[in-house]
Amino acid sequence: MTSGVDLGRPQTQAVGSDEDVVRVRQLVRTVAVAAKLSLVDQTKVVTAASELARNTLVYGGGGSVEVSTVDNGRKQGIKILFADSGPGIADLNLALTDGYTTGGGLGLGLSGARRLVDEFDIQTAPGQGTRITITKWSR
Amino acid sequence: MALNADESGRLVDVLSRHVDRITRRWAEVVAAQLRGRLSQAELIRQGQELHRALLDALGKGAVDLTSEEATELRAVLAEFSRGQARQGFSATETATGVFALKDALLTVLDSDQSEGTLRDYVGFSALVDQMGLFTFETYVRTRESLIADQAEQLLELSTPVVKLWEGVVAVPLVGTLDSARAQVVMERLLQTLVDTGSPYAIIDITGVPAVDTQVAQHILKTVVAARLMGADCIISGIRPQIAQTIVALGIEFGDIATKASLADALRHVLRLTGVETGRRQSRREA
Ligand SMILES: Nc1ncnc2c1ncn2[C@@H]1O[C@H](COP(=O)(O)OP(=O)(O)O)[C@@H](O)[C@H]1O
Ligand SMILES: [Mg+2]
């Protein structure tokens, strides 16, 4: 084992500060390399993770990120779960609209992250927190 | 545990009658621990100052360190531990410097049984413990602010703005561009534009591993601010994987010039300035 990542077990990173967002990016990068993603796909999934982890921190009031490798028999991939128990998102369609922001951002984090990955699943409701799962497959 | 009036009265008495012995014994104990890292004269001076502040506080009627009458004593202790922290002494060494007061007082009590009671000593000991903890806390706070200062200096060092050419400054960004660094970058770039009177700035992102919307927003803000000052920015070092990610995210750099490499960006600027000023001027002169 050279990367220091146990491919069998998911790795968890708490998200409570800006430094934690950096740690999420580093963890995702390491696992994406281990899952044999191309440089472009690594960069895409790292960037998507950066967006979603920052949302977890800023809008979700902190939470956690779980990173694991997945294998569907034909190819390997990386799967990441972002979970917070913040206010949740009332109007998901609106939140996923390019340019929509309630925090003075560019409003491209959620929608952009969805475009950067292969699978994007989101579970959220007012007062119920937010759980987003993304997957990126190697080509 | 607070001192009562009797106890502090007797302590004032002992402390004021044995100034020299207490100060000397204190200096001895501390010197043994510091093993020559402070001169004897300096130690004696510190011991005298501590002694004076302590005597002053007790004399005014301080019952513990939080007393109004102990304000001056707290200031002396804070100054003492700040000095220790800056000179690189450890937290333990700093606190022990205060605890050595117990040792010093004991020596005096030991030699003369009539001086004070065990109760007095216990009361005094509790006060010194408070002083030690207070010193320890000040020490930690000083170290923290020293570390924060150093981090800030590192930040400054890691964001160099260089004059690349006459009228062209460049800032190579390396690593993660968090909000704190982005702020420093923007300020330094704008200041350098003023200082050098440069109409062009190149922001090179070759060393930035991922450009997310936050990084992009910082860059966009910097470009707009530079524009307000009459300078044009070029973004360079956009590698293929970054370009594709930016497109998928939906970030638009609008009419901001972007180039693959720093060299391309410089060539671009030189072409602009060459046409507008250099050649035309030299021809006119000829
Ligand atoms: N984890 C979350 N919890 C609550 N609200 C969220 C969460 N993530 C995103 N949002 C909402 O969706 C909006 C759009 O998010 P995003 O596309 O990342 O844009 P930005 O971060 O620039 O505001 C946010 O402004 C916020 O209102
Ligand atoms: Mg966002």
Side-chain angles (χ1 to χ4, degrees):
Chain A
M1 228 177 68
T2 50
S3 62
V5 171
D6 183 347
L7 292 185
R9 225 169 289 141
Q11 312 235 345
T12 312
Q13 170 66 55
V15 179
S17 66
D18 280 332
E19 290 77 49
D20 288 340
V21 176
V22 176
R23 290 191 190 104
V24 167
R25 280 204 294 267
Q26 284 163 350
L27 176 59
V28 169
R29 171 84 65 185
T30 315
V31 176
V33 170
K36 304 209 164 50
L37 264 62
S38 69
L39 183 56
V40 173
D41 287 339
Q42 284 170 34
T43 308
K44 285 183 175 177
V45 75
V46 166
T47 307
S50 185
E51 294 298 337
L52 299 175
R54 186 162 305 284
N55 284 352
T56 300
L57 176 69
V58 175
Y59 302 112
S64 67
V65 172
E66 196 182 282
V67 186
S68 46
T69 46
V70 281
D71 195 321
N72 68 359
R74 286 179 295 118
K75 48 194 176 181
Q76 280 195 319
I78 175 173
K79 183 173 159 184
I80 315 168
L81 166 70
F82 304 83
D84 67 64
S85 35
I89 302 172
D91 189 338
L92 193 52
N93 278 332
L94 189 58
L96 278 164
T97 307
D98 276 359
Y100 176 79
T101 175
T102 57
L106 291 182
L108 292 169
L110 271 186
S111 52
R114 184 159 70 162
R115 286 187 290 266
L116 286 169
V117 298
D118 298 317
E119 289 160 32
F120 184 95
D121 175 68
I122 179 164
Q123 287 167 18
T124 183
Q128 303 290 302
T130 302
R131 288 173 72 84
I132 299 177
T133 311
I134 59 173
T135 311
K136 186 89 184 161
W137 296 104
S138 62
R139 258 156 252 284
Chain B
M1 213 186 91
L3 292 161
N4 64 36
D6 280 356
E7 286 164 355
S8 55
R10 279 194 296 276
L11 281 170
V12 168
D13 184 49
V14 175
L15 286 171
S16 47
R17 278 196 293 119
H18 300 286
V19 185
D20 275 352
R21 278 180 66 195
I22 292 177
T23 318
R24 246 185 296 117
R25 177 65 191 149
W26 181 85
E28 241 172 68
V29 175
V30 177
Q33 192 208 14
L34 297 185
R35 274 179 242 106
R37 275 179 295 156
L38 271 187
S39 71
Q40 189 66 16
E42 175 63 11
L43 276 174
I44 293 285
R45 194 196 59 74
Q46 283 185 354
Q48 282 166 346
E49 187 160 20
L50 266 181
H51 180 277
R52 186 191 52 72
L54 182 60
L55 186 59
D56 176 68
L58 289 171
K60 282 183 188 155
V63 292
D64 64 17
L65 193 59
T66 58
S67 302
E68 169 78 37
E69 296 82 4
T71 308
E72 172 69 14
L73 176 58
R74 289 196 300 271
V76 167
L77 288 172
E79 198 35 59
F80 170 71
S81 56
R82 275 197 288 270
Q84 299 279 105
R86 281 201 203 93
Q87 290 170 55
F89 291 104
S90 76
T92 309
E93 285 164 342
T94 305
T96 315
V98 173
F99 293 137
L101 282 170
K102 292 189 197 180
D103 221 300
L105 189 77
L106 254 189
T107 327
V108 177
L109 296 181
D110 269 354
S111 62
D112 185 347
Q113 288 304 318
S114 68
E115 303 267 22
T117 64
L118 180 61
R119 268 199 74 84
D120 293 347
Y121 180 71
V122 171
F124 177 73
S125 181
L127 174 65
V128 174
D129 287 346
Q130 273 191 329
M131 290 165 58
L133 285 177
F134 177 82
T135 311
F136 189 81
E137 261 169 40
T138 315
Y139 175 93
V140 171
R141 248 180 283 124
T142 307
R143 292 296 291 184
E144 274 168 2
S145 78
L146 283 177
I147 291 168
D149 284 354
Q150 282 164 359
E152 208 166 286
Q153 284 166 13
L154 267 182
L155 205 62
E156 298 259 315
L157 286 175
S158 60
T159 50
V161 179
V162 291
K163 187 172 162 189
L164 212 58
W165 206 269
E166 192 55 45
V168 190
V169 298
V171 51
L173 300 179
V174 180
T176 28
L177 194 64
D178 57 20
S179 296
R181 273 199 62 201
Q183 190 62 35
V184 174
V185 169
M186 168 136 81
E187 278 167 18
R188 296 197 55 168
L189 180 61
L190 298 181
Q191 190 56 48
T192 311
L193 285 175
V194 174
D195 294 346
T196 60
S198 301
Y200 292 100
I202 301 174
I203 301 174
D204 187 75
I205 59 169
T206 308
V208 181
V211 177
D212 59 10
T213 60
Q214 196 190 35
V215 171
Q217 193 174 27
H218 286 316
I219 293 176
L220 288 169
K221 280 184 181 161
T222 306
V223 172
V224 171
R227 256 188 204 162
L228 284 174
M229 295 174 49
D232 244 335
C233 287
I234 295 101
I235 302 170
S236 72
I238 304 186
R239 289 154 297 151
Q241 65 272 27
I242 299 289
Q244 293 179 58
T245 305
I246 287 176
V247 171
L249 266 177
I251 296 168
E252 282 165 20
F253 281 120
D255 57 350
I256 301 166
T258 55
K259 297 287 165 199
S261 71
L262 187 59
D264 286 344
L266 183 58
R267 217 171 287 133
H268 172 78
V269 172
L270 291 182
R271 205 178 305 125
L272 292 177
T273 54
V275 171
E276 284 167 5
T277 57
R279 277 177 216 157
R280 215 180 282 164
Q281 254 173 9
S282 54
R283 237 176 255 152
R284 236 182 262 141
E285 278 161 14

